Amino acid sequence: MLFDLHVHTDISPCSSLELTTILTRAKGLGLDGVCLTDHDTMEVLSEVKEGVQNDGLVVIVGMEYSTPEGDYLIFGPFESIRPGMNAFELAAHVYRAGGAMIGAHPYRLTRPADLAAYGPEGCRIVEVANGRNTRSENARALSLAEKHSLAMSAGSDAHTLEELGRLPSKMLTKVHSREDFVAALRNGLFRPSRLACANGLPHLQVA
Ligand SMILES: [Zn+2]
Ligand SMILES: [Zn+2]
């Protein structure tokens, strides 16, 4: 199953991508699922029924949480989360709640992460292919994942329809709900898709 793990609706001030556009176009772009990850809010839950849609598209709601140590995509059995945590507090909070987190674009020049937040006690999944990164920012994220043996994901970071679905991840298990999705993340059952590598990280070869 191909999922775009990093998508902003126009609830995020920087995005012009309407929820209805995502819902009507995602399947046609080859996606089986989309994760809606607006900045610091899961407000989109009031506008969409999460899970399997009429056309079979799977919609998962998480958020991109900003910390002084970088941005993190978080998913879990929560509908809101206390603002203002640092990355270390956030990781502890998310894992304690039974959730999962992905370090978004750790080397983006304008929004770099503190790499101390990555590792067994902190963020264990790195977004190695982000559609808004330069190829060198993605290549550096890949090196970070390899150096610390962290799991790797891809995501378009779409803010427009043109970006949606460009860098999907492949889910290696069936995902129909947020619960399934979080379990897949926690169990490492995902990887960047071939398309994501071609579009964002041509040096990474995946089977
Ligand atoms: Zn970000
Ligand atoms: Zn983003």
Side-chain angles (χ1 to χ4, degrees):
M1 301 179 88
L2 286 182
F3 272 56
D4 194 332
L5 302 193
H6 189 164
V7 176
H8 293 273
T9 76
D10 61 4
I11 291 172
S12 297
C14 45
S15 170
S16 61
L17 186 51
E18 290 179 10
L19 174 65
T20 48
T21 307
I22 297 168
L23 297 181
T24 52
R25 303 295 292 276
K27 282 293 270 187
L29 293 169
L31 292 171
D32 301 299
V34 289
C35 296
L36 304 176
T37 53
D38 285 312
H39 290 291
D40 301 302
T41 180
M42 294 172 76
E43 206 181 301
V44 74
L45 278 169
S46 64
E47 296 173 34
V48 67
K49 182 180 74 72
E50 215 177 345
V52 184
Q53 310 295 299
N54 289 338
D55 65 352
L57 180 75
V58 180
V59 173
I60 306 295
V61 177
M63 74 164 89
E64 181 170 9
Y65 191 107
S66 317
T67 78
E69 296 80 25
D71 293 346
Y72 298 87
L73 306 176
I74 59 170
F75 303 93
F78 38 74
E79 313 292 286
S80 67
I81 189 163
R82 173 164 63 88
M85 283 183 272
N86 65 40
F88 307 94
E89 293 166 330
L90 181 68
H93 184 93
V94 166
Y95 297 138
R96 205 162 42 231
M101 72 194 279
I102 298 173
H105 50 68
Y107 287 97
R108 185 176 294 169
L109 218 48
T110 53
R111 197 83 192 104
D114 178 346
L115 303 183
Y118 286 83
E121 298 304 315
C123 187
R124 302 165 198 156
I125 307 173
V126 188
E127 188 183 58
V128 298
N130 173 297
R132 295 205 142 197
N133 272 356
T134 63
R135 290 197 169 174
S136 90
E137 288 166 343
N138 283 337
R140 294 180 75 192
L142 175 63
S143 304
L144 174 73
E146 286 173 338
K147 186 169 157 209
H148 297 289
S149 304
L150 302 167
M152 303 178 197
S153 73
S156 70
D157 203 357
H159 290 60
T160 62
L161 177 59
E162 291 63 41
E163 296 167 285
L164 183 63
R166 281 192 68 239
L167 283 82
S169 286
K170 184 169 183 181
M171 304 308 295
L172 305 175
T173 181
K174 283 221 163 61
V175 172
H176 294 131
S177 64
R178 198 197 305 171
E179 202 184 344
D180 294 346
F181 180 72
V182 169
L185 288 190
R186 288 176 70 103
N187 293 314
L189 298 174
F190 59 93
R191 59 166 171 71
S193 68
R194 260 185 233 170
L195 178 64
C197 296
N199 283 339
L201 199 54
H203 304 301
L204 179 63
Q205 302 294 321
V206 293

